[in-house]
Amino acid sequence: MKYRIHLKGPRAKGGRVPADVLRDLLAVLTEGTRRSLRLRLEGRSLARGPIPSWLGKAAAFDLVGLAEGSTVLEFEATPLASAAPERFGQPELFNDIDVGMTSLGFLQESLRDALAGKEESDLYDQDLIATYSDLGGVLAAGFESVEIVGEGSLEVRPEGIELVKSLRRKTPSPRRVRVAGALDAIRYSDRMFTLVLASGKTLRGVAESVDPERLRALFGREAVVSGRAVFRPSGSVLRIEAAEIEPATGDTSMWSDEPRPLEVGLDVRELSEPQGPRSGVSAIFGRWPGEESDEEIASAFEEIS
């Protein structure tokens, strides 16, 4: 499948691309394809350890040339089913994705949600947002926008990058939690699970440090998950990173609600109010806060001196 990335702005030089800009752009594309695809498959965009072989194959793409007469980079990428058949040849739980798409297509979907400021999206997390924020460096190098054409068209402009950065600032910090619910689904290949709360709300989780046999034994049963909650910018739970999962015993109602962040994510820039000649400090500077005349003020000072 073919993709085109059009660099627009004063630094556009037709069929030439500055080396530093190409380096930064390729870094975003390389990390963005890997992280957006991994988030869709494993519930997180970044994990410890080496990159899985299937991810390296599935996220691969080629720069095949520059279009004449314009600063347009041409790329090609292979659909997931063909790029990594050992991983995508058989249907699995949680794989609610189109294996006919490419990794660049998944990057476009994820980036589109971020640029639109969708605070409830499942298609990005903090690590992926950090990657997309680096497109700001490409724009700052003298370009007005970066247009990505493939799975539809998507244009990245400076105001969009500011919105992406705002999402990052709004996202609450992860926190330690205990959550009770029914283990409704488990994927043993990478230890992903879903937990159904008493309200019917479903949370997705990763149990990397939990014994697979313990997971197997708890399938379909009530359990208590201890670990770390990772949040969306809206404050809802994006995923639970489980450190331990135990059978539920006794009354677990106190842990049956969806965890909430300890603090509300806040972009302090939203608190900023512009000041003009009739507002802020300017509205009071040089003014006496009362209605007394100059003579009354002078008399009062003489009395207290």
Side-chain angles (χ1 to χ4, degrees), residues 56-72:
K57 296 176 184 177
F61 59 86
D62 296 319
L63 173 62
V64 297
L66 296 173
E68 294 184 2
S70 180
T71 308
V72 178

Side-chain angles (χ1 to χ4, degrees), residues 51-226:
I51 297 173
S53 60
W54 66 264
L55 181 59
K57 296 176 184 177
F61 59 86
D62 296 319
L63 173 62
V64 297
L66 296 173
E68 294 184 2
S70 180
T71 308
V72 178
L73 291 80
E74 299 179 334
F75 294 86
E76 291 183 358
T78 304
L80 303 187
S82 301
E86 72 279 10
R87 181 66 175 80
F88 299 101
Q90 298 293 329
E92 290 187 2
L93 293 172
F94 303 102
N95 279 10
D96 55 342
I97 62 174
D98 181 0
V99 296
M101 287 179 58
T102 72
S103 58
L104 284 171
F106 287 107
L107 178 146
Q108 272 192 279
E109 281 193 343
S110 172
L111 180 56
R112 183 175 287 110
D113 270 14
L115 291 172
K118 294 185 177 181
E119 297 186 2
E120 275 290 311
S121 176
D122 292 329
L123 302 187
Y124 64 80
D125 61 8
Q126 279 280 56
D127 293 314
L128 194 47
I129 282 292
T131 298
Y132 293 153
S133 297
D134 290 341
L135 281 172
V138 175
L139 296 174
F143 295 94
E144 296 173 351
S145 68
V146 177
E147 183 182 20
I148 305 174
V149 181
E151 307 290 339
S153 178
L154 177 66
E155 190 160 19
V156 183
R157 303 183 65 84
E159 55 268 27
I161 293 300
E162 285 305 311
L163 184 55
V164 169
K165 292 179 179 179
S166 174
L167 289 174
R168 189 179 183 187
R169 291 189 294 267
K170 287 181 179 179
T171 303
S173 302
R175 57 166 292 218
R176 303 288 298 178
V177 297
R178 284 172 65 86
V179 193
L183 281 178
D184 183 58
I186 299 172
R187 193 169 70 194
Y188 300 105
S189 59
D190 50 20
R191 303 183 197 177
M192 284 190 66
F193 65 89
T194 61
L195 189 73
V196 181
L197 307 182
S199 64
K201 171 86 173 184
T202 298
L203 303 181
R204 297 178 68 175
V206 182
E208 184 179 29
S209 60
V210 178
D211 185 345
E213 290 305 315
R214 174 177 286 272
L215 279 177
R216 188 187 305 273
L218 291 173
F219 175 68
R221 297 174 56 188
E222 293 290 323
V224 177
V225 178
S226 301

